[in-house]
C-alpha cells in the first residue's frame, strides 16, 4: 500500500527471518506510537508478535515475526496466490477476528 512497505529481513544474530514494515514519509509519530502500543498489547497464537521497532530520523518501522503467507489482507484477498480460500472460511476468519 501507499503508506508503508513490507519486506522479509534477516538479522546477524537470529536465524529466523522477520517482517519489516517501514512507513513512508511523512509519518504521524503520535499515530506510530499508538500503533506500536496496540501491537504490544496483542497476544494470540494467530497474530504475529512484535519483535522491535526502528525510530530514526528518516526510517520509522516495526519488526514483526515473519509469516510465510504474508499479510492477512493479502491472504484474504488472494493477492499472494499461494492459497485459495473459500468465501465461507473468509467469513469465519472475520467473525473470529471480531470476537477476539
Amino acid at each position: 500500500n501507499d503508506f508503508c512497505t513490507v519486506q522479509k529481513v534477516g538479522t546477524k544474530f537470529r536465524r529466523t527471518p522477520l517482517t519489516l514494515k517501514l512507513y513512508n514519509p511523512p509519518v504521524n509519530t503520535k499515530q506510530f506510537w499508538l500503533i506500536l502500543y496496540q501491537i504490544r498489547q496483542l497476544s494470540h497464537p494467530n497474530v504475529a508478535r512484535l519483535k522491535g521497532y526502528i525510530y530514526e530520523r528518516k526510517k520509522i518501522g516495526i519488526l514483526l515475526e515473519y509469516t510465510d503467507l504474508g499479510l492477512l489482507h493479502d491472504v484474504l484477498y488472494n493477492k499472494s496466490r499461494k492459497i485459495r480460500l473459500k468465501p465461507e472460511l473468509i467469513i469465519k476468519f472475520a467473525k473470529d477476528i471480531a470476537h477476539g
Side-chain angles (χ1 to χ4, degrees):
N1 50 39
D2 292 337
F3 71 94
C4 70
T5 56
V6 179
Q7 61 192 46
K8 179 180 175 182
V9 295
T11 66
K12 291 180 183 178
F13 307 107
R14 297 175 56 98
R15 295 182 190 265
T16 56
L18 298 171
T19 299
L20 174 60
K21 184 175 184 178
L22 275 177
Y23 292 91
N24 298 327
V27 176
N28 179 334
T29 55
K30 186 175 181 180
Q31 184 73 22
F32 171 77
W33 291 115
L34 177 62
I35 291 170
L36 195 63
Y37 174 78
Q38 290 171 339
I39 293 173
R40 280 189 63 194
Q41 302 306 311
L42 295 174
S43 177
H44 190 278
N46 295 333
V47 174
R49 289 193 174 103
L50 177 70
K51 294 296 184 178
Y53 65 91
I54 298 170
Y55 192 80
E56 296 175 357
R57 187 171 179 204
K58 298 207 177 201
K59 284 187 181 180
I60 295 178
I62 297 174
L63 285 164
L64 302 165
E65 285 180 319
Y66 176 75
T67 55
D68 289 329
L69 294 176
L71 300 173
L72 178 61
H73 179 272
D74 294 346
V75 172
L76 292 178
Y77 289 97
N78 201 22
K79 290 185 178 179
S80 65
R81 306 280 184 224
K82 292 181 183 178
I83 61 171
R84 187 166 191 89
L85 299 177
K86 295 180 180 179
E88 300 84 25
L89 188 57
I90 293 172
I91 291 169
K92 182 183 180 318
F93 281 163
K95 286 180 179 178
D96 287 347
I97 291 167
H99 284 85

